[in-house]
Amino acid sequence: MSTAADPLEFYYRRSSDLPFFEVFHAHRQMEFTYVHEGTGNLIIEGKQYSIEPNTLMIFQPFQLHRVQMDTAPGLPFIRTVIMFDPAILMPYWRSFPILERFFQEVHKRTDGRPLYEIRESEPIIAIMKHFNDAQAKLSAHEMKEENDFFLLDFMRQLKQLWKKPDYHVSSLSRRHHHRAEEIMQWIELHHPEAFQLHQLANDLHLSPYHVAHLFKQATGSTIVDYTKATRIRHACVYLIQTMLTVPEIGVRVGIPNPSYFCKVFRAHMGSTPHQYRLHIQKR
């Protein structure tokens, strides 16, 4: 088990049998989530995919996504989660240039499509169990080294799987909500502007009621909440990659009122924009 302050967050076979429903969110770490048990849906990059046992989901830093699982007593969602800042592997790439090229290929991949049918018997799953078992025996000064070795080994095993095309396709992939995808793409394009439901509806040749109802039914989220999440995702990128002031960033992401921008940011990220930037700079 790891804490949010650690460079690597690792949660092995975390289980939920209560309703599991995420809000749309993004985070600064890269994330790999392997599904041991459970079925549901993933919405990412404006597209929807099925989630099924033996699925590996890959989330890039600041990639907006939402997972919804069909859980019930006796039908749990069991997953192993790996989250880390890609920068922690940089010191190793000089020694492993081939692995670095593969990692950059994975890191730059933005379509969000999961990898399917990765069996529990695969070495990549076995090393997660081994790492979990070993953590209890590690001293504090051993932890960082073992974390890095684990990530390198995980990427090496993923590289072997990447060559097998079957993992990139699933007969169960569901893409029914094409109009909802159009709505998400419209929001991505227009998020810096003042949101106008009637303009969105006109552009998609639907009524405002139909747009709102269709989106809620397809994603489980309101259009307003999704728009806020999109704006905060872009704000995080500005805070990290630019020296723009907080009010300037608020304007660029479509929330020109500084106090309201800070309020929305805190609700999504747990800190003010200024605190978030300071935290990233200290790292």
Side-chain angles (χ1 to χ4, degrees), residues 4-54:
D6 291 331
L8 169 67
E9 297 179 50
F10 179 76
Y11 309 97
Y12 182 68
R13 292 187 68 90
R14 176 170 282 188
S15 180
S16 305
D17 60 6
L18 298 176
F20 186 92
F21 182 86
E22 291 181 337
V23 297
F24 281 100
H25 68 287
H27 35 71
R28 59 179 178 77
Q29 304 103 320
M30 193 172 189
E31 176 184 340
F32 295 83
T33 293
Y34 177 74
V35 180
H36 300 272
E37 297 182 29
T39 60
N41 288 286
L42 164 68
I43 298 178
I44 185 169
E45 293 296 321
K47 298 179 176 63
Q48 181 164 294
Y49 301 99
S50 72
I51 300 172
E52 53 201 68
N54 310 130

Side-chain angles (χ1 to χ4, degrees), residues 240-252:
I240 293 173
Q241 297 183 355
T242 77
M243 294 304 294
L244 292 170
T245 67
V246 170
E248 287 173 331
I249 291 172
V251 171
R252 291 201 179 199

Side-chain angles (χ1 to χ4, degrees), residues 84-99:
F84 65 97
D85 184 341
I88 69 176
L89 292 177
M90 287 183 64
Y92 298 97
W93 293 142
R94 180 174 293 183
S95 300
F96 305 107
I98 296 175
L99 189 60

Side-chain angles (χ1 to χ4, degrees), residues 2-237:
S2 305
T3 68
D6 291 331
L8 169 67
E9 297 179 50
F10 179 76
Y11 309 97
Y12 182 68
R13 292 187 68 90
R14 176 170 282 188
S15 180
S16 305
D17 60 6
L18 298 176
F20 186 92
F21 182 86
E22 291 181 337
V23 297
F24 281 100
H25 68 287
H27 35 71
R28 59 179 178 77
Q29 304 103 320
M30 193 172 189
E31 176 184 340
F32 295 83
T33 293
Y34 177 74
V35 180
H36 300 272
E37 297 182 29
T39 60
N41 288 286
L42 164 68
I43 298 178
I44 185 169
E45 293 296 321
K47 298 179 176 63
Q48 181 164 294
Y49 301 99
S50 72
I51 300 172
E52 53 201 68
N54 310 130
T55 296
L56 179 65
M57 298 180 286
I58 303 174
F59 305 125
Q60 304 296 345
F62 306 109
Q63 191 169 46
L64 195 62
H65 60 278
R66 196 220 66 179
V67 171
Q68 182 177 11
M69 301 301 294
D70 303 321
T71 52
L75 295 173
F77 173 32
I78 303 177
R79 70 277 190 198
T80 294
V81 181
I82 304 167
M83 299 178 67
F84 65 97
D85 184 341
I88 69 176
L89 292 177
M90 287 183 64
Y92 298 97
W93 293 142
R94 180 174 293 183
S95 300
F96 305 107
I98 296 175
L99 189 60
E100 180 193 10
R101 285 197 294 273
F102 168 70
F103 178 76
Q104 294 303 331
E105 177 185 347
V106 176
H107 191 203
K108 293 176 181 178
R109 176 179 179 267
T110 58
D111 65 5
R113 181 183 296 275
L115 276 64
Y116 295 93
E117 299 181 13
I118 301 177
R119 297 176 297 277
E120 297 270 353
S121 59
E122 293 284 0
I124 194 171
I125 309 306
I127 65 169
M128 293 192 292
K129 182 181 186 306
H130 176 76
F131 180 65
N132 181 70
D133 294 343
Q135 280 191 316
K137 306 171 186 176
L138 296 175
S139 62
H141 73 275
E142 292 175 310
M143 187 64 75
K144 181 185 184 306
E145 186 173 302
E146 291 300 322
N147 286 352
D148 293 354
F149 283 153
F150 165 69
L151 288 175
L152 289 169
D153 197 14
F154 180 85
M155 296 309 303
R156 186 171 67 89
Q157 296 298 336
L158 182 61
K159 180 173 175 288
Q160 299 304 312
L161 293 178
W162 208 260
K163 300 174 183 177
K164 303 178 182 180
D166 290 348
Y167 292 124
H168 295 265
V169 181
S170 170
S171 61
L172 298 178
S173 291
R174 297 196 293 271
R175 297 290 309 283
H176 298 318
H177 302 295
H178 297 293
R179 301 315 299 268
E181 293 178 5
E182 292 177 22
I183 294 169
M184 288 185 274
Q185 291 163 6
W186 188 95
I187 292 170
E188 183 68 25
L189 181 64
H190 295 276
H191 75 270
E193 307 165 8
F195 178 73
Q196 299 182 23
L197 179 60
H198 72 275
Q199 185 61 54
L200 166 58
N202 286 341
D203 288 351
L204 269 60
H205 308 291
L206 298 168
S207 71
Y209 171 81
H210 191 193
V211 166
H213 178 74
L214 181 153
F215 191 81
K216 177 72 172 179
Q217 184 180 51
T219 70
S221 173
T222 67
I223 293 177
V224 171
D225 286 343
Y226 183 82
T227 301
K228 288 179 182 178
T230 299
R231 288 168 168 168
I232 296 306
R233 171 171 59 89
H234 284 280
C236 288
V237 176

